[in-house]
Amino acid sequence: MTYAEPGWEYRDSYFGGTDFVGQEVVWHVVGDIRTPVWAMNYYGRVLRDDLFDAATGGRVIQEALSALYREGRFLGGFRWQDGDEHLYEDTSTGDHRMFTGRERIVKDDTEVYTLDYHGGLIRE
């Protein structure tokens, strides 16, 4: 996934499905020079294939993160629920300069998905 606007580029690249790994990077762009300025790495996995699948995980995460971003926030301390079925929780320490965190999804009092992430500013 990519996004660009004058002076900036963003890319999220990942591998896998039910269990996956990825990285997000933000570059500052001046002419032909692209300088990485921020990055985050993550690893996530479905813990209970019998109760939860990757497609449901993608939907729940997209809805939860959209709600988080509408609040003008980026990092943890966030809980969201899609009716009575799934509870999404994100906890983290730090800020955009250096952070680590975990997101998880609970279904019927059972943790069915988890993801660990960390990242921060990149300096020369």
Side-chain angles (χ1 to χ4, degrees):
M1 294 183 281
T2 62
Y3 175 81
E5 62 180 54
W8 300 97
E9 290 182 12
Y10 162 86
R11 176 166 297 197
D12 181 357
S13 57
Y14 58 92
F15 302 92
T18 302
D19 297 4
F20 59 95
V21 65
Q23 173 176 275
E24 298 180 24
V25 180
V26 175
W27 288 272
H28 185 236
V29 181
V30 178
D32 292 336
I33 300 172
R34 296 171 65 231
T35 304
V37 295
W38 180 92
M40 176 178 74
N41 304 104
Y42 55 86
Y43 174 77
R45 61 190 293 253
V46 170
L47 302 171
R48 293 288 304 267
D49 295 48
D50 57 326
L51 299 174
F52 196 72
D53 60 34
T56 303
R59 178 189 59 78
V60 171
I61 292 164
Q62 183 177 17
E63 291 174 7
L65 292 180
S66 293
L68 174 72
Y69 300 152
R70 279 193 299 274
E71 292 183 5
R73 298 185 322 122
F74 160 67
L75 289 169
F78 183 73
R79 292 171 57 101
W80 177 87
Q81 194 143 4
D82 68 344
D84 292 331
E85 191 168 12
H86 300 102
L87 170 65
Y88 171 92
E89 293 181 311
D90 183 12
T91 57
S92 66
T93 58
D95 61 23
H96 71 281
R97 295 171 293 181
M98 186 177 97
F99 58 89
T100 185
R102 172 170 283 173
E103 68 179 11
R104 68 188 206 120
I105 298 173
V106 175
K107 178 179 180 176
D108 300 326
D109 296 322
T110 301
E111 186 173 6
V112 294
Y113 163 87
T114 188
L115 176 137
D116 293 305
Y117 61 89
H118 64 272
L121 294 177
I122 300 169
R123 298 187 306 170
E124 291 290 322

